[in-house]
Amino acid sequence: MINTRTASNIQSDMDWLHRIPKAELHLHLEGAIPLDTLWELIIKYGGDKSVPDQASLKSRLTYSNFPAFIEAWVWKNNFIRAYDDFLFIAEAIAKDLVRQNIIYAEVFFSPSRFTENTPMTTAGIAEAIRAGLNKVSECEIWLVPDLVRDHGPDNASRTLDEIAELKSFGIVGIGAGGSEHLYPPEPFSRVYEKARRLGFKTSIHAGEAAGAESVRGAVEFLRVDRIGHATRAEEDPELLDLLFETGTALELCPLSNIATGSIDDIMNHPVRRYFNKGLDISINTDDPGMFHNSMAEEYALLIHKFDFKRSEIKKLILNAVQSSWRPDKIGPSLIEKFTNNNNWA
Ligand SMILES: [Zn+2]
């Protein structure tokens, strides 16, 4: 039985976590679609027999393992067919970020998953997303195209050439998600080198599905600024030292790791160990439209399962701000915007 004092503390934590300013660095546009927005798209395209009503959508987006998650990811993308859909999704996601008091975000989108199956172009998709984001002013959002490792280095290089012309839509870096086991980082080293020359920051998913070797490959061959997940990096203790020495920022997504089964038990998650070692970690939701998680719930988990203090939560949020890719010329400084916020008390 929950005693009332504990329940009251939990509510107090949730109130605080809701109102403080937050930042999100690892969020996929196509995985962040609010359920009511996705439902509107499904209806727009004639419905789907696997979801007879809106209430069944949440269970359709529940998984017992990583392949089941990927199946659902591909299924859901079938309802994004036109530029207007991207605009519609982007506006809904920006509003959802504002509702959570997330005031800064960097958002992945995966154009090549759509340019191969529809007449849409990378430029058109980026323009539509930016138009949707611009309808909401309270959250500052930058874009990070996902080069999608499953399409190989040549395709990634072509996508990179396209996005090099699209910086005016607020593109600040590149990422690469997809099948870590089948597509390790090393063959992408020239693509990442070229991205750096073009002035982009770099990230890659590693150590989520594949082991520590994928994280080492990302650091040594791609020389990335940030790594998505890296939960399995601790399988190689010397690699943790390397991450510390290089200052590589890690975008952790604890509730995502549970939802996909990539971590079997939340108590095995390395978040506390990484924090205590002084690694540069941030906390993120990854695909909240598919995992039904919020940023406040991510931090609540850290408080209640890993005994994080509020001062440590604030440090995690400021970590995210400091490892953000916001261009320097933009003012006033982002860190001041966060630290001067009145809602920390
Ligand atoms: Zn991700």
Side-chain angles (χ1 to χ4, degrees):
M1 194 173 82
I2 299 172
N3 76 43
T4 51
R5 185 172 176 280
T6 304
S8 142
N9 284 352
I10 290 172
Q11 189 56 50
S12 158
D13 289 335
M14 286 307 290
D15 291 346
W16 181 74
L17 290 170
H18 175 73
R19 72 173 181 266
I20 58 176
K22 294 174 286 295
E24 169 87 87
L25 300 183
H26 190 118
L27 179 71
H28 297 267
L29 183 99
E30 302 89 346
I33 308 168
L35 288 184
D36 54 348
T37 305
L38 178 58
W39 180 249
E40 280 195 53
L41 289 175
I42 292 170
I43 296 302
K44 173 181 174 181
Y45 291 113
D48 185 277
K49 61 181 185 305
S50 71
V51 281
D53 51 42
Q54 188 171 350
S56 59
L57 196 49
K58 191 169 179 178
S59 58
R60 178 69 178 80
L61 299 174
T62 303
Y63 331 96
S64 53
N65 53 49
F66 203 79
F69 164 66
I70 295 296
E71 182 279 330
W73 176 278
V74 172
W75 170 80
K76 168 263 309 161
N77 281 354
N78 287 327
F79 306 103
I80 307 171
R81 301 182 192 176
Y83 295 131
D84 276 355
D85 300 339
F86 275 105
L87 189 154
F88 180 55
I89 291 167
E91 181 181 2
I93 291 169
K95 285 179 175 166
D96 193 56
L97 293 171
V98 171
R99 184 186 56 74
Q100 297 183 62
N101 292 314
I102 295 172
I103 64 171
Y104 180 89
E106 291 171 11
V107 177
F108 294 116
F109 69 108
S110 305
S112 61
R113 291 192 187 273
F114 299 91
T115 54
E116 31 172 54
N117 300 320
T118 76
M120 291 190 282
T121 64
T122 298
I125 291 170
E127 184 177 10
I129 292 171
R130 180 48 63 189
L133 298 178
N134 282 351
K135 287 171 170 273
V136 182
S137 60
E138 300 94 326
C139 182
E140 179 179 334
I141 302 175
W142 297 87
L143 292 173
V144 181
D146 179 338
L147 302 184
V148 188
R149 67 217 297 159
D150 300 48
H151 298 169
D154 290 344
N155 189 287
S157 184
R158 276 194 294 278
T159 305
L160 178 61
D161 289 339
E162 290 173 321
I163 65 167
E165 308 297 320
L166 306 175
K167 285 186 178 174
S168 62
F169 296 125
I171 293 174
V172 287
I174 59 155
S179 307
E180 289 177 26
H181 282 105
L182 300 174
Y183 297 91
E186 290 80 352
F188 293 85
S189 59
R190 289 170 69 176
V191 178
Y192 272 67
E193 181 61 42
K194 188 163 143 193
R196 257 190 304 282
R197 278 203 312 274
L198 290 167
F200 290 120
K201 300 287 190 177
T202 59
S203 171
I204 192 168
H205 286 55
E208 177 190 17
E213 71 285 353
S214 70
V215 177
R216 185 175 281 282
V219 177
E220 294 183 345
F221 285 82
L222 306 189
R223 299 194 286 128
V224 290
D225 299 292
R226 299 200 311 239
I227 294 176
H229 296 282
T231 43
R232 292 182 61 184
E234 65 176 352
E235 292 169 0
D236 176 354
E238 289 178 10
L239 174 59
L240 294 187
D241 293 336
L242 180 66
L243 290 169
F244 181 80
E245 286 157 17
T246 54
T248 309
L250 308 180
E251 307 153 3
L252 301 188
C253 310
L255 287 171
S256 159
N257 298 145
I258 293 300
T260 61
S262 65
I263 292 269
D264 59 349
D265 183 323
I266 193 60
M267 297 316 296
N268 293 331
H269 199 283
V271 57
R272 173 49 96 175
R273 292 186 290 278
Y274 285 5
F275 183 85
N276 287 353
K277 189 175 172 61
L279 298 182
D280 182 0
I281 61 171
S282 63
I283 303 298
N284 307 277
T285 61
D286 203 2
D287 300 296
M290 303 191 70
F291 303 140
H292 323 298
N293 52 333
S294 70
M295 191 64 93
E297 287 167 347
E298 297 282 349
Y299 288 121
L301 180 84
L302 268 49
I303 291 174
H304 300 136
K305 298 286 188 188
F306 295 95
D307 200 27
F308 273 73
K309 307 289 180 274
R310 289 188 182 189
S311 58
E312 293 176 320
I313 299 293
K314 183 174 181 181
K315 179 166 178 11
L316 287 169
I317 293 170
L318 297 183
N319 275 358
V321 173
Q322 267 155 340
S323 52
S324 78
W325 295 343
R326 187 193 213 230
D328 293 337
K329 62 182 183 292
I330 308 289
S333 99
L334 192 59
I335 195 82
E336 283 175 19
K337 193 171 168 186
F338 272 76
T339 53
N340 293 341
N341 188 287
N342 293 326
N343 288 313
W344 292 108

